[in-house]
Amino acid sequence: MFSSRFFWTAAVGYLVLAAAAAWGFGQGSSPGAGILIWEAVLTVAGFGVLLTWGVLHRAAVRLAGITESAAARESGGALWSAPATPRGSARNLESAIESMNRQLETRIEELQRKSRQLQESTERLETVLGSMVEGVVAVDDSQRILFANRAARNLLDMQVTNPVGRPIWEVIRHARIDEVIRTVLAGGEATSLEIDLPRKHAVVAVLASRLPGNPTSGVVLVFHNVTELRRLENIRREFVSNVSHELKTPLTAIQAYAETLLDGALDEPEHRTKFVERIGEQAGRLHALIQDLLRLAQIESGDNVFDVRAVEVSPVVRECIDEHLAVAESKSQRLVTQAPAADLNVMADEEGLHTILGNLIDNAVKYTQDGGTISVRWRIDDGMARIDVQDNGPGIPAEHQSRIFERFYRVDRARSRDVGGTGLGLSIVKHLVQEFDGSIGISSEPGSGTTFTVRLPLSA
Ligand code: ADP
């Protein structure tokens, strides 16, 4: 109950006081009722002091225990329940602190893990967006740029190194983009549009979508460069229209001759043979056109249609010359060849090489005037086989030279038709040469002739 040290100190103190009183009275006065009264008073006072001290001490111990347990509950919850003694309280406090420490460590580790995960996913997102071909720009609700990937910076020609934080209208000056952002921010649906970027010579498809939130937290814009797509679409449209036109011309002629024959020309022997011959010619044109179209489609299909291997040039040149001898003779043209001492072998498909040289010789014979000369030379030049097909015909003006390899491009449309051209010959030649890893060039002077130069890899 009480601290025993204090109890014994108080008891001894009382005895000393009692002994001192007895001795004092014994010295100065005679013993009697006064002494007994003093002793009784001292005894009662002594016990009173001891009792009061004991009660106060116990109360103090209790109070300390209650205060500590309340403090522990406040800081960590119900970690222990009954502080029996100050020593027990200290132990409980220690274990509570340890438990709090462990909980804190666990929380810190968890937070660190979450922060790492967040950083990793942010980095992953930035890598994905950074490697995208499409440009991505995100703006907040006040049109300030939150993010712009590299493709967007290049495509939109952003002049600033770091556009983040700047108003989008300051970085991308395009009225239609401003308009679409405002519309989407005002609650509009995701919107797509196509814009021209004259400085970049590009056509760009834009998709603008709202960022989540109510009101929205911004707009994300995705930019897709569709210049090449639009160019190919135009080529396809142009090609379909050209093919239709090319097919229509001979068909219309055939139909007209047939109708004329049925309308009575069949009974006119001097006309009917001529008309039937014309029908034959036009049918031949149709056939040549369809053949060329099929060949072009086959080359462009990318299927492995060629058997590329070492091909000797001389025999192929000779075959092509032989095929054109009759026409050349009919025009009093000379067909000459100039072969190297040792023949060349090129890496090509034999039929493909035949088509290349056949088309070039055919054009030279077709477009060169009567009495002209066509020569074919081949040799090694700069580590490649070089084959020249030269004529002394009308030549090709400089402004047409870069376009004559396009499909259906003709310098003189009427002349080409007169001589049975399809407008596809040089296009086929160029595709084939490229297919065999070679190149084709032209050198021409109007009035003095044309030389087509084909370069092909030599076989090892
Ligand atoms: P085409 O069937 O009309 O000959 P090509 O593609 O072979 O079509 O040739 C394209 C155009 O190039 C021809 O229409 C012609 O105007 C011109 N051309 C080609 N070869 C010659 C040449 N040797 N001399 C002059 N013009 C040529």
Side-chain angles (χ1 to χ4, degrees):
M1 181 182 153
F2 310 142
S3 160
S4 54
R5 188 152 57 93
F6 280 99
F7 179 82
W8 286 113
T9 311
V12 168
Y14 164 71
L15 286 174
V16 168
L17 274 172
W23 179 78
F25 281 111
Q27 289 285 314
S29 57
S30 58
I35 293 167
L36 285 173
I37 289 166
W38 272 108
E39 279 186 349
V41 166
L42 281 171
T43 307
V44 169
F47 274 111
V49 166
L50 284 174
L51 196 65
T52 312
W53 182 85
V55 167
L56 286 175
H57 181 72
R58 188 175 172 84
V61 167
R62 280 260 166 126
L63 195 62
I66 289 163
T67 314
E68 280 172 23
S69 97
R73 260 198 301 276
E74 244 172 51
S75 59
L79 298 167
W80 77 97
S81 52
T85 62
R87 201 174 295 151
S89 300
R91 267 201 309 277
N92 284 338
L93 185 62
E94 200 178 311
S95 78
I97 288 170
E98 261 173 32
S99 147
M100 276 167 60
N101 205 21
R102 275 196 303 277
Q103 279 180 21
L104 266 177
E105 275 173 9
T106 317
R107 288 290 300 276
I108 288 168
E109 273 169 21
E110 203 176 309
L111 280 174
Q112 280 175 340
R113 191 168 45 79
K114 280 191 177 151
S115 149
R116 265 199 310 275
Q117 278 174 353
L118 197 67
Q119 197 178 343
E120 275 168 21
S121 86
T122 308
E123 279 170 5
R124 213 174 301 140
L125 192 66
E126 275 182 10
T127 312
V128 170
L129 289 171
S131 59
M132 271 174 72
V133 180
E134 287 83 11
V136 180
V137 176
V139 293
D140 65 12
D141 55 352
S142 56
Q143 300 194 28
R144 286 187 183 275
I145 296 177
L146 297 168
F147 174 83
N149 70 353
R150 201 177 19 184
R153 292 200 295 268
N154 289 341
L155 185 63
L156 302 165
D157 206 14
M158 293 187 190
Q159 301 293 337
V160 286
T161 0
N162 186 11
V164 173
R166 304 185 67 151
I168 191 161
W169 37 263
E170 216 178 85
V171 182
I172 310 168
R173 291 171 196 273
H174 204 291
R176 292 187 65 204
I177 294 181
D178 289 350
E179 197 185 303
V180 79
I181 293 175
R182 274 201 301 275
T183 313
V184 174
L185 278 176
E189 288 298 304
T191 311
S192 60
L193 68 155
E194 213 165 278
I195 55 167
D196 281 316
L197 298 176
R199 274 226 312 259
K200 283 286 211 178
H201 303 290
V203 185
V204 176
V206 188
L207 177 69
S209 321
R210 285 158 64 86
L211 283 172
N214 195 11
T216 177
S217 53
V219 178
V220 62
L221 299 146
V222 179
F223 297 87
H224 186 52
N225 190 343
V226 291
T227 318
E228 185 59 12
L229 194 68
R230 296 288 169 265
R231 193 183 71 81
L232 291 175
E233 275 176 4
N234 280 342
I235 290 176
R236 188 184 55 84
R237 244 195 311 270
E238 216 172 283
F239 180 70
V240 170
S241 128
N242 278 329
V243 170
S244 315
H245 181 75
E246 295 293 331
L247 291 172
K248 216 174 95 188
T249 313
L251 273 176
T252 311
I254 289 171
Q255 202 176 14
Y257 289 127
E259 278 170 10
T260 315
L261 282 169
L262 289 173
D263 281 352
L266 264 177
D267 303 323
E268 301 163 11
E270 72 278 18
H271 288 129
R272 70 179 174 212
T273 315
K274 198 175 79 190
F275 287 165
V276 172
E277 276 171 8
R278 293 282 182 277
I279 288 175
E281 269 170 31
Q282 296 302 323
R285 273 187 66 183
L286 273 180
H287 184 252
L289 183 66
I290 289 165
Q291 286 277 95
D292 277 359
L293 283 171
L294 287 174
R295 199 168 297 158
L296 203 58
Q298 188 192 33
I299 300 166
E300 287 187 344
S301 70
D303 296 344
N304 218 355
V305 288
F306 300 108
D307 177 18
V308 178
R309 55 194 164 86
V311 180
E312 223 179 314
V313 177
S314 300
V316 180
V317 173
R318 230 146 263 138
E319 272 170 34
C320 294
I321 295 278
D322 288 349
E323 282 165 18
H324 290 88
L325 263 181
V327 184
E329 272 171 12
S330 73
K331 291 179 80 178
S332 312
Q333 291 170 335
R334 281 188 337 119
L335 275 176
V336 295
T337 57
Q338 203 176 312
D343 198 19
L344 304 181
N345 286 304
V346 293
M347 286 306 289
D349 170 81
E350 189 167 345
E351 204 186 312
L353 181 63
H354 189 111
T355 307
I356 293 169
L357 298 177
N359 278 3
L360 293 177
I361 295 169
D362 188 59
N363 277 351
V365 171
K366 259 183 344 195
Y367 295 108
T368 301
Q369 67 286 356
D370 290 2
T373 303
I374 292 103
S375 73
V376 185
R377 301 183 296 272
W378 59 106
R379 62 193 161 96
I380 294 178
D381 180 40
D382 214 9
M384 300 276 277
R386 173 187 170 145
I387 309 169
D388 291 308
V389 179
Q390 185 176 25
D391 64 59
N392 58 354
I396 299 170
E399 67 269 25
H400 295 287
Q401 288 178 14
S402 60
R403 300 202 60 192
I404 52 169
F405 297 100
E406 290 174 18
R407 287 177 289 200
F408 298 114
Y409 190 85
R410 293 158 166 126
V411 178
D412 182 342
R413 199 163 274 272
R415 173 117 183 78
S416 163
R417 289 230 173 85
D418 281 352
V419 294
T422 61
L424 294 172
L426 287 180
S427 175
I428 291 173
V429 168
K430 188 177 177 185
H431 274 84
L432 280 171
V433 167
Q434 285 174 344
E435 199 66 34
F436 305 147
D437 297 328
S439 63
I440 182 159
I442 175 178
S443 137
S444 185
E445 263 308 309
S448 34
T450 307
T451 304
F452 284 97
T453 301
V454 173
R455 291 172 174 279
L456 289 172
L458 289 162
S459 76

